[in-house]
Amino acid sequence: MPAGLAHISISGTLPHGNQGDLMKTSIPVQRDIVRLIDKGLSSRAIGRQLSISHNTVELLRTRLAATGLTQADLSVLDNEAFAIRLGTARNPNPSGKIVPDWDVVREELSQRDMTLSLIWEEYRQANHEHLADCLCYSQFQKRYKAWLKTQRISMRQFHKPGDQLFVDFCGRTMPITNPETGEEKPAQVFVGVLGGSSYTFAYAVPSQKIADWIACHVKAFEFFGGVPQQVVPDNLKSAVIKHTPQEIITNAAYADCAEHYDVLVNPARSRKPKDKSLAEVGVQIVQRWVLAPLRKRTFFSVEELNVEIAKRVELLNNKVSKKYKQSRTQRFIELDLPALRPLPLHPYESEAWKYKVRVAEDYHVEYEGSFYSVPYQYRMHQVDLRATRTTLEVLLNRTRIASHALLATPGRRTLEDHMPILHLRQTEQDPDSLLEWAEGIGPNVLAWVRGNLQQRRDFANGVKSARNLRRWAREEQAHDRLDGACAFALKIGVLTFNRLKSIITNRSDQRLPVEPTAWVQKHGNLRGAEYYAQQGGISC
């Protein structure tokens, strides 16, 4: 049994009669009594002058004489020392009850499954020989709570202008009615409060999902016309994935939004309501002054609700406070607005995210029915997918490891750099791979490769010519010569690699055409090709 529960008391007897009156007399009055006694006034005269009983004065005179002290000796003492020297200090336990060590009680309560009722029972057991002097349970509970209040030190929160924006969702939702079916769905109401001025923003969204959470921040920054140094959210999943004393893991999309606005995300600690006191107060005020007056209205869209919320928020911010004699708007203009950092040139564009996607054995990830490759070293890893209107990025621990153009229709996109050597060699035998490579070089290269694959009777040799061209182009790094050379080869009907290579090497495609001999004059002594053709050739 804890020792602090047994016989820890400040015993004393209840003062009687004039002694009790003396104990109740304030120290300043006792000092006046001593001063007047020193001047030689009688007890009755002092009593009349100070409007107290002459018996009280007489009792204090007796105690002063017993101490042998003078008024000069007592005047230099503080109030506590003065009362102790005269023996007039108030008994902190006038009832004479046994009082436990409250520090021990608090320590016991911190243990698992302990209750104040159980500790009271142990306190009575520890003092079973003096049960009459023990506190009853109601007094035990009352005194402990009174002592506990003296141990708590509340620090007033001071917020620098433009420093913190406290954000949270209201506990109260607003119903949105479907005009066709009459079905109601709850709209979530976001609240943002600036620390310096308590300037308040409210905005309704369909849900608390990450896309709506980010949209609320974008609207809030636009409403305030600037960006604070930090945002203080609660620990909802759209903001914080993990929050421990050792680390804070912020939602990746939320972190990207914060990075775009160059604002620090500083989540409130769990079970520490004072960290986000302004958010809680702001939520309460918005629920009372904005949402409650709209409770009987029927809204058919979130946009319609936001129009009314904006009107009510404006009235709230313009309302003059009794405490500060200024409205939130006035304080915002004077304090927060000059300290806010400017908005970026473009607002943050919300992106679609897909979290903790497992990379398959074939080093591809699936997104909306299509499959995209990642470097094969990351197969079986968990990655995040970030999709914009045109691209898909694959991120591992917020580091991009792959990027693809989004496919318009379900399909498969594999980059050669993502493939292991064995798979790459096997893929290079595929005609589709040859056509894809040729298309990336130029239209004439594509036509030449397609001609080898489709027009030549010996298909195997056609594939071989196309492979040889690709291998030679990679080795020689002569991609800029291929398209023009292939155009020339197609013009003269060349589909073999060796002859195409000769064209590229000799630059046949870049030679000027031979000018016709227009200067030769025709006459009867000149015989041309037509003459010899009619003769059927020349015999030797």
Side-chain angles (χ1 to χ4, degrees):
M1 184 177 296
L5 301 180
H7 301 286
I8 302 297
S9 64
I10 305 175
S11 299
T13 57
L14 183 66
H16 300 285
N18 292 336
Q19 185 177 356
D21 293 338
L22 179 58
M23 295 296 180
K24 294 178 182 178
T25 305
S26 66
I27 300 300
V29 173
Q30 291 183 35
R31 287 184 181 275
D32 287 339
I33 294 174
V34 172
R35 178 175 54 82
L36 295 175
I37 289 175
D38 188 63
K39 288 186 176 182
L41 273 68
S42 67
S43 297
R44 290 184 179 277
I46 296 173
R48 286 194 300 271
Q49 185 170 343
L50 298 178
S51 300
I52 58 175
S53 170
H54 68 278
N55 292 325
T56 302
V57 178
E58 189 63 31
L59 181 59
L60 187 60
R61 186 190 295 273
T62 301
R63 292 200 173 194
L64 180 61
T67 62
L69 299 173
T70 64
Q71 191 271 339
D73 297 329
L74 294 173
S75 63
V76 297
L77 302 177
D78 59 24
N79 287 350
E80 183 178 359
F82 178 92
I84 292 174
R85 295 299 297 274
L86 283 179
T88 59
R90 292 187 179 184
N91 190 343
N93 184 26
S95 65
K97 297 290 186 179
I98 299 173
V99 180
D101 186 337
W102 297 119
D103 282 309
V104 175
V105 173
R106 179 169 61 179
E107 184 178 351
E108 288 293 309
L109 276 176
S110 65
Q111 298 181 25
R112 185 175 180 179
D113 299 329
M114 288 298 296
T115 64
L116 197 62
S117 175
L118 178 58
I119 296 175
W120 176 72
E121 291 288 351
E122 293 180 352
Y123 152 77
R124 285 174 57 84
Q125 292 174 14
N127 301 283
H128 63 278
E129 296 180 354
H130 307 279
L131 288 179
D133 295 326
C134 289
L135 296 169
C136 66
Y137 179 67
S138 61
Q139 281 296 316
F140 188 89
Q141 186 181 38
K142 183 178 179 180
R143 290 200 184 193
Y144 174 68
K145 289 182 178 179
W147 173 84
L148 198 60
K149 287 182 179 180
T150 65
Q151 308 305 304
R152 295 174 180 171
I153 303 176
S154 295
M155 183 179 71
R156 183 175 294 277
Q157 300 290 326
F158 294 96
H159 304 285
K160 295 187 295 184
D163 183 35
Q164 292 178 311
L165 171 64
F166 297 85
V167 295
D168 201 357
F169 278 110
C170 287
R172 178 172 185 163
T173 60
M174 294 295 290
I176 303 297
T177 305
N178 187 318
E180 297 180 358
T181 64
E183 180 186 4
E184 291 186 352
K185 290 187 177 180
Q188 307 291 330
V189 180
F190 172 91
V191 176
V193 182
L194 283 173
S197 62
S198 296
Y199 195 58
T200 304
F201 168 77
Y203 189 72
V205 286
S207 71
Q208 293 189 13
K209 294 181 179 179
I210 182 62
D212 291 326
W213 173 251
I214 290 177
C216 290
H217 283 70
V218 174
K219 291 290 185 181
F221 295 146
E222 292 176 354
F223 175 80
F224 295 125
V227 182
Q229 297 294 328
Q230 55 182 311
V231 177
V232 183
D234 203 354
N235 287 278
L236 74 164
K237 288 299 182 183
S238 293
V240 180
I241 296 175
K242 182 179 181 181
H243 190 175
T244 67
Q246 290 75 33
E247 63 176 343
I248 299 175
I249 301 177
T250 309
N251 186 296
Y254 190 35
D256 270 358
C257 176
E259 185 176 347
H260 178 81
Y261 286 99
D262 192 21
V263 62
L264 174 67
V265 176
N266 185 19
R269 294 173 294 173
S270 299
R271 300 180 182 180
K272 298 292 182 180
K274 290 186 179 181
D275 284 6
K276 52 185 178 64
S277 56
L278 268 185
E280 293 189 346
V281 172
V283 164
Q284 187 181 61
I285 291 175
V286 167
Q287 290 182 159
R288 291 177 178 177
W289 289 85
V290 178
L291 302 185
L294 302 176
R295 68 189 185 281
K296 296 182 180 180
R297 296 277 300 272
T298 301
F299 297 98
F300 298 103
S301 68
V302 174
E303 292 75 18
E304 182 183 352
L305 172 61
N306 277 323
V307 171
E308 296 303 318
I309 287 178
K311 294 178 182 178
R312 298 293 307 177
V313 168
E314 183 177 4
L315 293 175
L316 170 64
N317 284 327
N318 290 334
K319 183 177 180 296
V320 176
S321 170
K322 293 181 180 179
K323 182 176 181 181
Y324 295 103
K325 307 301 181 183
Q326 277 187 315
S327 68
R328 289 176 171 82
T329 302
Q330 290 173 312
R331 297 201 304 274
F332 168 71
I333 294 173
E334 293 177 5
L335 298 175
D336 280 322
L337 184 58
L340 293 176
R341 291 180 289 107
L343 291 167
L345 295 178
H346 304 286
Y348 178 77
E349 293 185 5
S350 184
E351 301 162 335
W353 283 80
K354 195 173 180 181
Y355 298 103
K356 296 184 178 179
V357 177
R358 180 77 65 180
V359 180
E361 282 279 5
D362 64 353
Y363 48 89
H364 283 71
V365 292
E366 185 272 335
Y367 181 77
E368 293 189 349
S370 294
F371 296 87
Y372 302 86
S373 67
V374 302
Y376 72 91
Q377 297 91 337
Y378 299 110
R379 63 188 185 278
M380 304 308 296
H381 281 65
Q382 280 191 340
V383 295
D384 298 329
L385 306 182
R386 176 172 59 191
T388 65
R389 288 175 295 180
T390 57
T391 61
L392 176 75
E393 292 183 342
V394 183
L395 298 100
L396 178 65
N397 297 327
R398 298 193 64 193
T399 301
R400 186 174 67 183
I401 60 174
S403 179
H404 296 271
L406 275 180
L407 293 172
T409 57
R412 189 180 188 89
R413 187 178 294 278
T414 305
L415 300 183
E416 292 182 355
D417 292 342
H418 295 167
M419 303 172 66
I421 297 298
L422 293 177
H423 290 192
L424 183 60
R425 288 175 180 173
Q426 182 179 356
T427 304
E428 287 184 344
Q429 311 301 319
D430 185 7
D432 290 339
S433 175
L434 294 169
L435 290 171
E436 184 178 353
W437 168 80
E439 185 179 7
I441 302 300
N444 294 311
V445 178
L446 176 62
W448 188 89
V449 171
R450 185 179 286 119
N452 270 279
L453 299 178
Q454 298 176 359
Q455 297 178 17
R456 292 184 60 166
R457 295 180 181 178
D458 50 343
F459 175 76
N461 285 327
V463 173
K464 187 174 182 180
S465 292
R467 288 181 195 153
N468 289 337
L469 175 62
R470 180 171 63 181
R471 184 174 61 253
W472 180 84
R474 288 175 175 174
E475 293 174 354
E476 299 296 330
Q477 296 293 313
H479 297 83
D480 57 329
R481 292 280 296 112
L482 294 185
D483 202 56
C486 286
F488 183 79
L490 291 171
K491 185 177 180 180
I492 62 176
V494 171
L495 289 178
T496 62
F497 169 69
N498 288 333
R499 293 192 62 185
L500 176 60
K501 180 180 176 183
S502 177
I503 292 172
I504 297 173
T505 305
N506 298 326
R507 298 186 177 273
S508 301
D509 58 313
Q510 296 180 349
R511 293 181 181 177
L512 295 175
V514 179
E515 296 182 2
T517 55
W519 53 273
V520 178
Q521 297 182 1
K522 294 183 179 181
H523 53 81
N525 296 330
L526 293 178
R527 300 173 182 176
E530 295 177 356
Y531 170 80
Y532 292 102
Q534 294 175 0
Q535 300 300 318
I538 302 176
S539 60
C540 299

